[in-house]
Amino acid sequence: MYKLTDYLYNGLLYLNNMSRPRHKRLSQLMLYATTACQSHCKHCNIWQKKHEHLSLDDIKRVMHSRCITSKTTIGLEGGEFILHPQADEIMAWFHRHHPNYTLLTNGLAPQRIIQAVRRYRPRHLYVSLDGDKETYQRMRGCDGYGRVIEVVEALRGEVALSLMFCLSPWNSFKDMEHVINVALHYGIDVRIGIYGTMAFFDTTSDLLTMSDYTGQIPNNIHKTQENFDFVALYDQWRHGNLKLRCKSIMSSLVIHSNGDVPLCQNLDVKLGNIHEQPLDDIFNGSLACETQCRYSRQCNDCWINFHRKYDIILMRNFERLLPKRVIERFYGPYQWTNDPIITYHKLLQS
C-alpha cells in the first residue's frame, strides 16, 4: 500500500510542518466537490442535502495555493463525484495539470466510471463495498453490489484499485471478511474504516459498539496491508485507553462543497471558506496555526481513518527508531493501552 519513499517523504513533511507551522505543505487534500448522490445510505445522509458543487474555477484557484505541491494527493469525492455537473472537465484538468489525484466512487454508474478512469487516468480508484449483496441492499438502499463488481472486473490491472469497507452498526465482521475475500480474489487492495459521526455527512447514530470486539476480527485481515492495527486499536480507543495526539491535521485537509475548510473531518471547527479567503491564509494563517497546534496537542476524539491511520503510522515508525521514553520528550505523553509503558509492537504481538 505504501512505499519506503512515501514514509520518507511524509517524515520530512512532518518535520517541516511541525517546525515551520506558517509554511506547512499538504500531503493530501480531499475535495468533497458535490453533495449529489444516487445512493440512499443509512450511514451517510448526504443524499438528503440540497445539491451543491465546487466549480472547476473554485478548484483551479485552490490548486494554485503554495501549500499544495506536485506531491500533494488530491481526492475527488462527494456525494458521488461522477455526478458533478463538471466532472469530466475537472478530471481532464487534473489529468493535464496535477496527475497525482484519486477518484472515490460508490460504483453505481459503472460505465461512466470505467470511461472516466480510462480517459482521465486518476492515480488511484477507491470503490465502496460494505458487505455482500444482501448487506449492500440494506445499507445503501439500492441493488448496487453487481455494479461494484463490474467496475472492479473492468478496471483491475488498469489502475491502482482499492475496495473501501466501513464497519458500521449496519454491517458486521462477517461482511468485512467477505469484502476482504473479494479483494483477495481480484488481487486488489482493501482499505478498512470504522463508522464515526461527521457533520458534513449528517451522521447521527452512536459510535460502533459490540461485545468481544477483537475476538470477531476476521483472520483474513492479516492478508491485507495497513488494516489490522487500525481495526484492533479501535477497541482500545473506544474504552478510553489509547491516547494519541492528532498530528494529521497539520498535513491533511478537506474542503466541503460550499467552500468550508474544517479543521478536520470530525470536529465542527471551521478554519475558513475558500470563497472568502485564499487557501494559504486559511491553512497557514496565524489563527489557523494557533487552532491547529492546540487541537494537535489535545484532541483524541475520533477514530476516523483519514486522520488516525496517519497517527498510528507516525508513532509506530518513531518506535522503530527510538525508545518510547525518548519519543515522549519531544512528542509528549501517549499510550496504546491502559498500560502507558507498553509499545506498539508488544501490544500488536500479544
Side-chain angles (χ1 to χ4, degrees):
M1 186 182 298
Y2 296 107
K3 301 176 182 177
L4 177 60
T5 52
D6 296 325
Y7 290 122
L8 292 174
Y9 171 73
N10 285 321
L12 292 173
L13 190 68
Y14 169 81
L15 293 174
N16 174 78
N17 291 356
M18 296 306 295
S19 61
R20 304 171 70 234
R22 295 293 301 275
H23 302 276
K24 297 186 299 298
R25 300 292 182 263
L26 285 167
S27 63
Q28 55 182 336
L29 173 64
M30 308 304 291
L31 301 177
Y32 290 107
T34 179
T35 56
C37 189
Q38 75 276 58
S39 188
H40 291 75
C41 300
K42 291 184 177 180
H43 59 300
C44 170
N45 293 316
I46 199 170
W47 54 273
Q48 299 185 42
K49 287 188 172 185
K50 180 181 178 181
H51 285 188
E52 185 177 62
H53 319 286
L54 288 174
S55 71
L56 175 57
D57 286 341
D58 295 332
I59 293 171
K60 287 180 180 178
R61 188 170 63 252
V62 164
M63 290 301 298
H64 285 102
S65 304
R66 291 186 304 277
C67 61
I68 295 174
T69 73
S70 62
K71 292 184 177 295
T72 302
T73 299
I74 307 297
L76 301 179
E77 56 182 309
E80 171 62 10
F81 178 79
I82 206 73
L83 299 181
H84 192 296
Q86 293 182 292
D88 284 281
E89 294 95 323
I90 293 169
M91 286 187 285
W93 187 91
F94 275 101
H95 180 56
R96 290 193 301 270
H97 301 286
H98 192 93
N100 187 23
Y101 81 100
T102 66
L103 176 64
L104 292 85
T105 180
N106 57 27
L108 294 181
Q111 287 308 308
R112 290 186 64 183
I113 296 161
I114 293 166
Q115 291 172 7
V117 168
R118 287 173 174 169
R119 183 175 299 169
Y120 305 119
R121 312 308 303 176
R123 188 67 50 86
H124 206 121
L125 178 68
Y126 298 92
V127 188
S128 297
L129 186 62
D130 296 312
D132 60 19
K133 184 178 178 67
E134 180 181 344
T135 299
Y136 194 104
Q137 175 80 49
R138 183 175 66 252
M139 281 188 66
R140 294 182 172 258
C142 59
D143 184 12
Y145 183 91
R147 283 177 273 181
V148 170
I149 298 302
E150 181 181 350
V151 170
V152 170
E153 290 183 340
L155 293 176
R156 65 186 179 117
E158 294 188 29
V159 63
L161 199 158
S162 297
L163 293 177
M164 293 193 303
F165 174 87
C166 179
L167 183 65
S168 76
W170 300 278
N171 59 7
S172 67
F173 279 114
K174 185 176 180 181
D175 290 303
M176 181 188 293
E177 182 178 31
H178 174 84
V179 173
I180 292 172
N181 281 334
V182 171
L184 293 173
H185 173 75
Y186 288 108
I188 60 176
D189 175 48
V190 60
R191 308 279 176 103
I192 297 176
I194 297 177
Y195 174 83
T197 55
M198 289 190 271
F200 181 68
F201 298 108
D202 289 341
T203 51
T204 55
S205 295
D206 293 333
L207 295 178
L208 180 70
T209 59
M210 59 179 65
S211 58
D212 188 28
Y213 174 91
T214 55
Q216 296 185 63
I217 299 174
N219 286 331
N220 65 354
I221 197 173
H222 295 288
K223 298 179 181 180
T224 73
Q225 298 182 49
E226 308 287 359
N227 286 309
F228 174 68
D229 55 2
F230 177 76
V231 174
L233 289 170
Y234 171 80
D235 201 42
Q236 295 291 338
W237 173 79
R238 75 184 178 109
H239 285 106
N241 299 327
L242 182 147
K243 297 175 182 177
L244 291 180
R245 296 183 174 195
C246 186
K247 299 299 184 182
S248 66
I249 58 175
M250 307 297 284
S251 63
S252 300
L253 203 63
V254 303
I255 301 178
H256 291 165
S257 53
N258 65 355
D260 281 347
V261 182
L263 172 70
C264 70
Q265 290 193 358
N266 181 60
L267 298 174
D268 192 18
V269 177
K270 188 171 79 170
L271 296 178
N273 186 290
I274 62 165
H275 300 307
E276 301 168 1
Q277 294 174 275
L279 184 63
D280 285 316
D281 293 345
I282 294 171
F283 183 57
N284 280 330
S286 58
L287 181 59
C289 290
E290 189 277 328
T291 302
Q292 291 160 343
C293 290
R294 184 172 75 254
Y295 279 95
S296 178
R297 290 190 299 268
Q298 300 172 357
C299 192
N300 186 49
D301 290 346
C302 82
W303 202 248
I304 296 172
N305 58 350
F306 182 73
H307 296 292
R308 301 326 301 263
K309 281 190 176 182
Y310 176 97
D311 297 315
I312 292 171
I313 292 170
L314 177 70
M315 298 312 296
R316 80 180 189 205
N317 285 337
F318 276 157
E319 287 190 359
R320 287 173 177 169
L321 301 172
L322 300 167
K324 187 173 184 295
R325 65 181 183 276
V326 174
I327 297 170
E328 291 185 321
R329 289 179 184 174
F330 63 87
Y331 173 87
Y334 72 97
Q335 57 192 66
W336 299 104
T337 181
N338 57 356
D339 180 355
I341 298 176
I342 198 167
T343 64
Y344 169 92
H345 179 76
K346 287 184 178 179
L347 176 63
L348 270 295
Q349 292 300 315
S350 62

